[in-house]
Amino acid sequence: MQIKVLSVSEVNSYIKRIITADPILYNIRVKGEISNYKLHSSGHIYFTLKDESSRIRCVMFKTNSEALKFNIEEGMKVNIKGYVSIYERDGQYQLYVNEIEPSGIGSLYKAFQQLKERLSKEGLFDQERKKPIPFLPKKIGIVTSPTGSVIRDILSVIDRRFPKVEILLYPVPVQGENAAKKIAYSLKLANENTGIDLLIVCRGGGSIEELWPFNEEVVARAISESKIPVISAVGHETDFTIADFAADLRAPTPSAAAELSVPDYKELVECLSSRQERLVSLMNSKIFNLKDKLNHFKNSYPMKYPYQPIHNYRQQLDRNIEDIIRAIENKKRNNKEYLLHMGERLNSLSPLSVLGRGYSLATTEDGEILNSIDMVKPEDSINVTVKDGKIYCRVSEVLKEDKGIEKEEV
């Protein structure tokens, strides 16, 4: 029997038919670690799945990768469902992946953890971004399903606690493929209504798949970007969603959200009444104290004798004036005595005083005091002043006084 010579393509095609016909390889589950991960621009994902001693090439086409709820990361341990076939062009077999789940944890929970971590790093959940919940909102917007018990419970609680609040419902689907986009759109639409003071985003309990729209990034960002404070109430008390972290306040249940959104009217009235009574009591006490102080002031000495301080000041002023006059008189008297004393001293030193004692004062015609014979010569005129007038004289002779010389005794 002569064996036919096959081409490379025929061999690869034959091997492919054998592999794809194998019932185990055609529907297989494999666990391993992601390596050499690459996301192609086409949307296809290429990576290698490995364990301690071996590896296999894997490809996940865009139609399947778009359904992933989490991001594939290098080194991630996963469980893969798919089939083994051969890539005929290269003659290499590879694992064609239909589904991927993180090993030991659900894919949705993994996606939840990844998104929560990423948004937290962005600061989307920071306490500084949280807006205060208004104490008494006039209008509340509720983003939830228009059917079911959730909206009825919220309306019932709000009507019981504070029936005067206006409610505006934004009906949205709370589960399903397009629910997240519609929830985000309703949040943005509600922010265009300037009359809304508070938003409640809520739904009842359910599985993680049913609650998943509230774990979508588009909803978290819409809540974070809302200018209106948002209360998130998704599922039961033990359920936590990304929307809860992004909201300004998380309520354990929708009914609890309604409780937190408005005060109890009866309690508020009782509180206001109590505070009113306390305020009136404080005001009465204050008025009583002021009246008592006023009466005390009215009966005080200054009020009974208001002019007495003026009289005292007048008396004091009179005494001060008298003291000033007395001081002035004393000063004048002292100054007069001092002046007389100084006058006497000056008079004793005056040339006139000397003249009064029998002396005279001779001066030249120019008024210079004549104190030497060298200042005049015969026929010069001189003036002689005596105590009771002046004598005009003419010099007839100038005699020089001989002082004599004492001889030394031998």
Side-chain angles (χ1 to χ4, degrees):
M1 180 178 178
Q2 187 175 1
I3 299 176
K4 179 183 177 181
V5 178
L6 301 177
S7 65
V8 174
S9 298
E10 289 174 331
V11 172
N12 285 343
S13 178
Y14 178 72
I15 295 173
K16 181 178 180 179
R17 289 197 301 272
I18 294 175
I19 293 175
T20 54
D22 188 288
I24 296 177
L25 297 179
Y26 190 72
N27 185 17
I28 192 171
R29 292 180 180 271
V30 185
K31 65 179 180 179
E33 181 181 320
I34 299 289
S35 177
N36 299 322
Y37 170 77
K38 180 182 178 182
L39 175 62
H40 197 270
S41 59
S42 62
H44 305 328
I45 296 174
Y46 298 92
F47 61 93
T48 299
L49 191 67
K50 67 177 184 178
D51 58 15
E52 294 80 1
S53 57
S54 188
R55 62 184 61 206
I56 183 174
R57 293 180 181 273
C58 302
V59 59
M60 188 176 195
F61 295 123
K62 181 180 179 180
T63 53
N64 293 320
S65 65
E66 286 181 338
L68 287 175
K69 298 295 184 181
F70 64 98
N71 296 325
I72 296 177
E73 299 173 352
E74 190 77 14
M76 181 183 291
K77 296 185 182 299
V78 294
N79 294 329
I80 290 177
K81 180 182 179 181
Y83 63 94
V84 177
S85 185
I86 189 170
Y87 184 38
E88 294 184 44
R89 192 197 71 176
D90 296 342
Q92 292 182 341
Y93 82 90
Q94 56 188 11
L95 179 58
Y96 291 84
V97 181
N98 294 328
E99 298 176 7
I100 301 179
E101 285 190 357
S103 180
I105 187 173
S107 59
L108 291 181
Y109 186 68
K110 183 64 177 179
F112 170 83
Q113 286 184 321
Q114 289 179 337
L115 181 60
K116 178 185 174 184
E117 182 178 359
R118 178 160 59 86
L119 296 182
S120 180
K121 288 180 179 179
E122 288 185 24
L124 209 69
F125 307 149
D126 289 352
Q127 194 62 36
E128 292 77 11
R129 296 174 60 96
K130 307 296 184 183
K131 295 175 285 295
I133 305 300
F135 173 71
L136 186 57
K138 295 180 179 179
K139 182 186 288 187
I140 299 176
I142 301 176
V143 181
T144 190
S145 171
T147 61
S149 60
V150 170
I151 185 62
R152 292 195 299 271
D153 291 343
I154 290 178
L155 293 177
S156 175
V157 171
I158 293 179
D159 184 66
R160 171 175 54 83
R161 289 177 63 82
F162 208 93
K164 299 182 182 296
V165 175
E166 183 179 352
I167 304 297
L168 186 60
L169 175 63
Y170 289 88
V172 293
V174 292
Q175 65 185 61
E177 186 176 353
N178 296 318
K181 293 181 180 178
K182 293 181 178 180
I183 293 170
Y185 174 76
S186 293
L187 285 167
K188 294 178 182 179
L189 188 65
N191 272 266
E192 296 176 1
N193 189 336
T194 55
I196 295 179
D197 302 311
L198 178 65
L199 285 172
I200 299 176
V201 180
C202 57
R203 68 148 289 157
S207 63
I208 187 171
E209 290 82 7
E210 292 172 331
L211 301 180
W212 192 252
F214 297 91
N215 287 319
E216 295 281 358
E217 182 175 354
V218 64
V219 173
R221 294 199 179 277
I223 292 175
S224 178
E225 293 169 2
S226 173
K227 296 179 181 179
I228 303 171
V230 178
I231 297 178
S232 174
V234 181
H236 299 300
E237 187 172 353
T238 56
D239 296 323
F240 280 87
T241 63
I242 299 297
D244 294 327
F245 295 107
D248 299 298
L249 179 64
R250 185 236 176 204
T253 63
S255 296
E259 296 270 353
L260 294 171
S261 64
V262 292
D264 185 273
Y265 181 78
K266 293 180 180 179
E267 291 180 0
L268 187 60
V269 170
E270 291 177 359
C271 179
L272 290 175
S273 298
S274 175
R275 293 190 177 187
Q276 182 181 14
E277 292 176 0
R278 184 181 177 189
L279 181 60
V280 170
S281 176
L282 289 173
M283 289 178 63
N284 289 334
S285 177
K286 185 69 173 178
I287 292 172
F288 177 80
N289 291 334
L290 291 175
K291 283 183 176 181
D292 185 60
K293 288 183 179 180
L294 181 60
N295 291 330
H296 178 73
F297 184 68
K298 286 168 62 177
N299 296 324
S300 63
Y301 183 83
M303 290 301 294
K304 284 186 175 182
Y305 306 99
Y307 293 107
Q308 187 60 41
I310 298 176
H311 297 327
N312 293 337
Y313 287 134
R314 282 180 175 176
Q315 292 178 2
Q316 183 65 41
L317 181 60
D318 292 341
R319 286 195 293 270
N320 291 341
I321 291 174
E322 291 176 358
D323 291 342
I324 292 172
I325 293 174
R326 188 180 303 108
I328 292 174
E329 293 297 332
N330 291 336
K331 187 69 175 178
K332 287 170 62 178
R333 183 171 56 257
N334 293 336
N335 288 342
K336 185 177 181 180
E337 292 176 356
Y338 178 76
L339 184 60
L340 292 173
H341 174 69
M342 294 303 293
E344 291 176 356
R345 291 186 62 187
L346 289 173
N347 186 52
S348 65
L349 299 174
S350 174
L352 296 178
S353 178
V354 177
L355 295 177
R357 295 197 297 272
Y359 293 93
S360 62
L361 177 65
T363 61
T364 65
E365 287 183 323
D366 296 332
E368 294 184 22
I369 296 175
L370 190 59
N371 56 14
S372 173
I373 60 173
D374 295 331
M375 296 179 65
V376 296
K377 59 184 179 294
E379 301 301 326
D380 285 347
S381 297
I382 62 173
N383 301 323
V384 178
T385 302
V386 293
K387 68 176 183 179
D388 54 356
K390 288 186 177 183
I391 302 172
Y392 297 97
C393 305
R394 186 178 297 278
V395 178
S396 60
E397 186 178 2
V398 178
L399 296 177
K400 187 172 184 179
E401 180 181 357
D402 292 333
K403 296 181 178 180
I405 302 175
E406 292 183 0
K407 294 182 179 180
E408 295 182 358
E409 292 184 358
V410 179

